Amino acid sequence: MHRAPPSEEDPVDIIIDIHSWLRWLVLLALIGGAGIGFVRNSRGEPWQEGFFSLAVIVVDVQVLLGIIIWIFNSGWDQGFFFAVLHPLMMLAAVAVAHIGLVRARKRNDTRSNLIVAYAFVISFVFVVMAVPWDRLV
């Protein structure tokens, strides 16, 4: 039985691939969470945190992978977009998602659905603006 030689791919390249694919899950989680929030609010449904927390965790993982890539891939040497704009916009996106979730938890009523929906829409806009669309996988 002949085995292929082990891959010599850099671990950072693997993380970049995961980060690139995870962007789609982030976009779906944010737009899905916003949609759920708007629908629940319009129906007067009570606040249920479940999916919203999961969506924020997905964004957190994405940002963590991005920080790892930035540190180990000399992000500060990658030009203005990857050195400054992309990281700051993504940090803003995760901050807005967290702030919306915390404010919704504190309110803990039907309107909480609307708060988190608006926060997720704003986060979604930040992500869409900061994604390097020319590097689609």
Side-chain angles (χ1 to χ4, degrees):
M1 182 170 165
H2 179 58
R3 296 185 123 199
S7 173
E8 297 294 326
E9 190 168 15
D10 183 12
V12 174
D13 289 337
I14 294 168
I15 296 171
I16 290 170
D17 288 343
I18 294 167
H19 185 69
S20 183
W21 282 102
L22 192 57
R23 96 177 86 182
W24 302 111
L25 188 56
V26 167
L27 292 170
L28 284 172
L30 289 173
I31 205 68
I36 289 169
F38 286 126
V39 168
R40 284 184 181 170
N41 183 68
S42 69
R43 292 180 181 168
E45 293 180 15
W47 166 248
Q48 291 179 339
E49 186 176 329
F51 182 83
F52 302 124
S53 291
L54 182 63
V56 171
I57 289 169
V58 170
V59 177
D60 287 343
V61 169
Q62 179 73 334
V63 169
L64 177 63
L65 290 175
I67 291 169
I68 291 168
I69 292 165
W70 192 85
I71 290 170
F72 288 101
N73 208 26
S74 303
W76 52 91
D77 289 335
Q78 301 295 319
F80 180 74
F81 181 79
F82 285 109
V84 178
L85 188 62
H86 180 75
L88 288 179
M89 295 287 279
M90 293 305 181
L91 288 172
V94 76
V96 169
H98 272 277
I99 290 167
L101 187 59
V102 168
R103 291 190 67 198
R105 281 180 186 152
K106 285 183 179 180
R107 187 166 177 120
N108 197 23
D109 64 6
T110 306
R111 191 130 169 105
S112 294
N113 294 310
L114 193 59
I115 292 169
V116 79
Y118 282 128
F120 281 15
V121 167
I122 294 167
S123 289
F124 180 82
V125 169
F126 278 129
V127 170
V128 168
M129 289 172 38
V131 165
W133 294 106
D134 60 329
R135 292 186 179 196
L136 292 178
V137 172

